[in-house]
Amino acid sequence: MKVYAFIHPDLKTLCCAILREAVPEGVEAVELEVESPDDVILDENGQIRVKTEAEKLAEEKERKLGELKRYVATLLEQTDYIIVRIAEAEVNEGTAEAERLRQKYATQLQQRQAIRVWNEQMRQAIRNAKTLEELKSLEIRYG
Amino acid sequence: MADFRGTILTQRGRNLLAKAQTGTTLTFTRVKIGDGLWPSNTDPTQLNDLVSPKLNLPIQEIRVVGDGTVRLRFVLTNTGLSEGFFMREIGIYAQDPDIGEILYAVAYAGDRADFIPADGVTKVENIVDIYTVIANAQNVTAVISDTVVLATRQDIDVIKPEVSSTAPSLTYPGKLWIDADEFLKYFNGSVWRNAKVIFADTVDGFHASLTPAPNVIVPLNADGVLDLSGTYIKSNVYTFRRVDLTNATSDYELQVGEEAIINFTNAIIVPLRIATGSNRLYEIFLQFSVNILLPGVFTFLNPNNTTYSSSFSHVSIYWSSGGGSGWVSYTNADNAFKLYNQTPHAFFILDTTRRILRGFVSYEFGDSNIGFGIFTSKWHSNLVSWVSLGTFTFPQSMSGYILVRRLA
């Protein structure tokens, strides 16, 4: 899509008009071809430009890692109560009771371990991605 | 009433009557009355005018009686008469094609005359019929005047609408008939037609019409539908109308209650083309034909058709049928209003005063996993006036429609 990027005279911030007529009167705008208005930045040199592929890749990696973190947290929180019970048993009732609970919840504990392994694999895959396409192809979905 | 002893044809009248027997039209022009006293040796056939004419009277009706005579009807009135007189003589005038208007026939009452008083306290309005000879004349007419018309009881009976189950036998153009179904009909000269009454479709002066317009009552159409597609219902507080802003080229200001629809096909940008301002509340429904499939990317609404760097906050949360829940996205530094992702629709309320939108979605993820999400997004700067509701941008080319209804 085309956008018309400009520094807003009142806000002094970067803006992108989606329609040419949305550029304020008397303001000079830079016409850019982008995939999304978010691809436009005002760099440290005060220049309005489209993000480089490397910048987009780094930004997308950050976003994807955050998404992964939130997703894994939701997977783990479903069995967090087991960890709390074992920890409480360790403190209040001794090692034997804690061990009994570990045996009782062995399946869930294995699932949690598997989630953590998958999480680490996904983190590495995200960090190692060389292109946006490769990054976007990584679906954050366990199991 | 004065005692006139019949009419006498004048010589000129006889000559004209002779011409009438051979086809000349016999046209009676007027009647005169006068107070002339005829000497005893007066030969009325030799008169060319009344002895002392006082009033010219137009002919109101002519009827050929059928026995070689004609009945001329005129109205005797004293309107405008400055001086009373005795009506002793009556003259019937006709048009001779060769010599002009002639005295056709006369009648004389002599001392058996009536007094016609001057116009004043006593009003005279009488219908007078006078008969005269026309023999076998085929074409008999009269110059009929409608300046003074008095109707007889018989006249009224004739023109009174008939109430009957069968059509009246007496017909003339304009004849009225109320049939067995109590419909008013009129005879148009050849057939009976239903009479149309002007303003019959009005209530309190407002006409009914299938075409909606100001001061018009709109009925249901043939399908029983109140079809307002061409226009709208509007009150002081609410407008009931849908406008199609697909491919609009300039901003349209919705009235309170009014709804806009914007269709789009394979589009990545969809301008709403809706003018706005502060103190507005909108209900917006965005419907895609398919899910947005790209994960982690969002639909945005760009107010004023523009992005404003780091000027928007957003938070979204999901709950899934698999039991999962959590953040979808949160930030204080978006560039536009962010909606939800990977969903075929979004429904939200947009408040231009507080510059915030709040909405929800439901989604399908895989074959069985469904869920719903809520989201809110706020433009946390008010340094720029909000004049155009904005443009939607999608992360991929999409088809569907958008409904925008102004609530306040």
Side-chain angles (χ1 to χ4, degrees):
Chain A
M1 71 173 77
K2 272 194 172 58
V3 296
Y4 307 88
F6 59 93
I7 303 300
H8 196 283
D10 300 323
L11 305 175
K12 311 299 181 196
T13 59
L14 175 65
C15 296
C16 286
I18 313 295
L19 308 176
R20 184 191 293 272
E21 73 225 37
V23 178
E25 201 169 337
V27 172
E28 193 174 331
V30 182
E31 183 178 320
L32 298 169
E33 185 70 36
V34 295
E35 290 179 8
S36 158
D38 287 347
D39 293 345
V40 182
I41 59 167
L42 179 64
D43 67 17
E44 59 270 19
N45 299 320
Q47 187 185 357
I48 295 173
R49 62 174 173 80
V50 179
K51 291 171 187 170
T52 64
E53 287 301 306
E55 286 169 331
K56 286 190 202 176
L57 185 63
E59 197 175 76
E60 182 61 14
K61 282 183 178 179
E62 281 301 309
R63 193 197 63 75
K64 203 105 181 179
L65 286 170
E67 186 184 345
L68 176 65
K69 184 179 176 182
R70 290 191 293 275
Y71 181 68
V72 168
T74 62
L75 294 177
L76 293 176
E77 71 185 8
Q78 296 170 43
T79 52
D80 279 351
Y81 72 97
I82 294 171
I83 306 303
V84 172
R85 281 197 70 181
I86 291 171
E88 285 177 346
E90 190 88 48
V91 172
N92 300 328
E93 300 168 63
T95 308
E97 178 59 16
E99 189 54 36
R100 190 189 69 78
L101 290 174
R102 283 192 190 93
Q103 294 300 320
K104 181 182 177 183
Y105 294 114
T107 304
Q108 289 89 335
L109 292 174
Q110 283 173 6
Q111 283 175 348
R112 288 177 65 89
Q113 186 56 30
I115 289 169
R116 290 191 185 283
V117 170
W118 172 80
N119 178 41
E120 193 52 40
Q121 289 170 347
M122 283 300 297
R123 286 168 60 89
Q124 282 305 321
I126 292 169
R127 287 184 181 129
N128 293 339
K130 296 288 189 293
T131 65
L132 275 173
E133 286 67 34
E134 186 183 349
L135 199 54
K136 286 176 180 174
S137 69
L138 294 174
E139 185 179 359
I140 298 178
R141 193 176 183 194
Y142 176 72
Chain B
M1 186 67 194
D3 184 12
F4 289 93
R5 300 288 177 83
T7 56
I8 301 166
L9 286 183
T10 63
Q11 188 56 50
R12 286 183 172 182
R14 290 176 184 174
N15 294 341
L16 178 56
L17 182 57
K19 295 175 188 174
Q21 306 309 307
T22 59
T24 298
T25 299
L26 180 53
T27 303
F28 294 101
T29 54
R30 57 178 162 167
V31 172
K32 285 184 188 179
I33 58 175
D35 64 350
L37 280 168
W38 291 3
S40 57
N41 61 346
T42 299
D43 178 0
T45 64
Q46 298 305 312
L47 289 176
N48 293 326
D49 200 354
L50 295 184
V51 173
S52 176
K54 290 293 183 184
L55 278 176
N56 280 311
L57 298 169
I59 297 167
Q60 184 183 327
E61 184 187 296
I62 181 171
R63 181 165 295 176
V64 177
V65 176
D67 57 354
T69 63
V70 67
R71 187 193 75 187
L72 299 173
R73 173 170 291 179
F74 62 92
V75 176
L76 173 59
T77 172
N78 66 343
T79 301
L81 185 65
S82 58
E83 190 178 346
F85 67 97
F86 282 95
M87 185 175 74
R88 296 193 181 93
E89 50 183 351
I90 299 176
I92 299 171
Y93 291 75
Q95 188 69 28
D96 187 305
D98 300 319
I99 59 176
E101 188 180 53
I102 62 160
L103 178 62
Y104 180 82
V106 291
Y108 185 62
D111 56 1
R112 296 179 299 278
D114 272 352
F115 185 73
I116 308 299
D119 193 3
V121 175
T122 304
K123 286 288 185 187
V124 175
E125 283 182 341
N126 290 327
I127 293 173
V128 179
D129 289 340
I130 187 167
Y131 292 78
T132 191
V133 176
I134 57 168
N136 293 319
Q138 295 299 306
N139 303 312
V140 182
T141 64
V143 178
I144 303 295
S145 170
D146 57 1
T147 53
V148 178
V149 177
L150 292 182
T152 65
R153 173 63 183 272
Q154 188 180 12
D155 290 337
I156 292 170
D157 285 344
V158 167
I159 64 170
K160 198 168 65 176
E162 277 191 51
V163 181
S164 60
S165 57
T166 55
S169 53
L170 173 62
T171 58
Y172 54 85
K175 171 71 177 174
L176 296 175
W177 167 40
I178 298 171
D179 70 9
D181 296 322
E182 298 185 339
F183 286 115
L184 180 64
K185 297 173 181 293
Y186 73 99
F187 192 74
N188 73 351
S190 56
V191 293
W192 289 97
R193 304 289 299 271
N194 289 322
K196 294 178 181 176
V197 181
I198 193 167
F199 299 131
D201 67 330
T202 61
V203 175
D204 291 341
F206 297 109
H207 287 279
S209 171
L210 275 173
T211 304
N215 296 324
V216 159
I217 299 166
V218 183
L220 302 184
N221 68 12
D223 299 322
V225 172
L226 184 62
D227 184 359
L228 298 166
S229 54
T231 180
Y232 59 99
I233 293 175
K234 183 179 182 180
S235 75
N236 288 335
V237 293
Y238 208 83
T239 298
F240 182 71
R241 173 167 61 174
R242 173 180 282 187
V243 291
D244 189 344
L245 297 183
T246 306
N247 301 322
T249 55
S250 60
D251 281 6
Y252 175 85
E253 180 143 4
L254 291 173
Q255 303 300 306
V256 174
E258 197 171 13
E259 179 181 276
I261 184 168
I262 302 102
N263 292 292
F264 54 92
T265 305
N266 298 325
I268 202 164
I269 299 170
V270 179
L272 296 176
R273 294 295 188 189
I274 294 171
T276 192
S278 58
N279 301 317
R280 307 283 174 89
L281 196 64
Y282 298 93
E283 178 183 51
I284 300 178
F285 185 78
L286 168 62
Q287 178 72 54
F288 294 130
S289 56
V290 295
N291 273 3
I292 287 181
L293 296 176
L294 297 174
V297 289
F298 293 83
T299 293
F300 289 90
L301 174 61
N302 301 271
N304 292 335
N305 315 305
T306 303
T307 66
Y308 298 92
S309 282
S310 303
S311 299
F312 296 80
S313 307
H314 170 90
V315 60
S316 46
I317 299 172
Y318 79 96
W319 288 264
S320 84
S321 60
S325 64
W327 302 111
V328 175
S329 176
Y330 52 83
T331 179
N332 287 325
D334 268 341
N335 300 334
F337 288 112
K338 185 192 284 178
L339 276 62
Y340 206 82
N341 67 348
Q342 285 179 283
T343 175
H345 65 257
F347 175 83
F348 59 95
I349 301 293
L350 179 57
D351 177 345
T352 66
T353 308
R354 303 176 69 180
R355 299 192 167 200
I356 191 168
L357 63 81
R358 314 166 181 93
F360 72 89
V361 300
S362 63
Y363 62 83
E364 298 165 63
F365 203 86
D367 292 334
S368 59
N369 196 3
I370 60 168
F372 73 87
I374 57 172
F375 60 95
T376 182
S377 190
K378 180 178 173 62
W379 188 3
H380 52 67
S381 165
N382 59 5
L383 297 176
V384 177
S385 297
W386 193 351
V387 295
S388 183
L389 202 55
T391 294
F392 276 107
T393 53
F394 310 136
Q396 66 188 68
S397 187
M398 299 298 289
S399 299
Y401 62 87
I402 301 162
L403 296 173
V404 181
R405 180 184 293 123
R406 183 177 167 190
L407 302 180

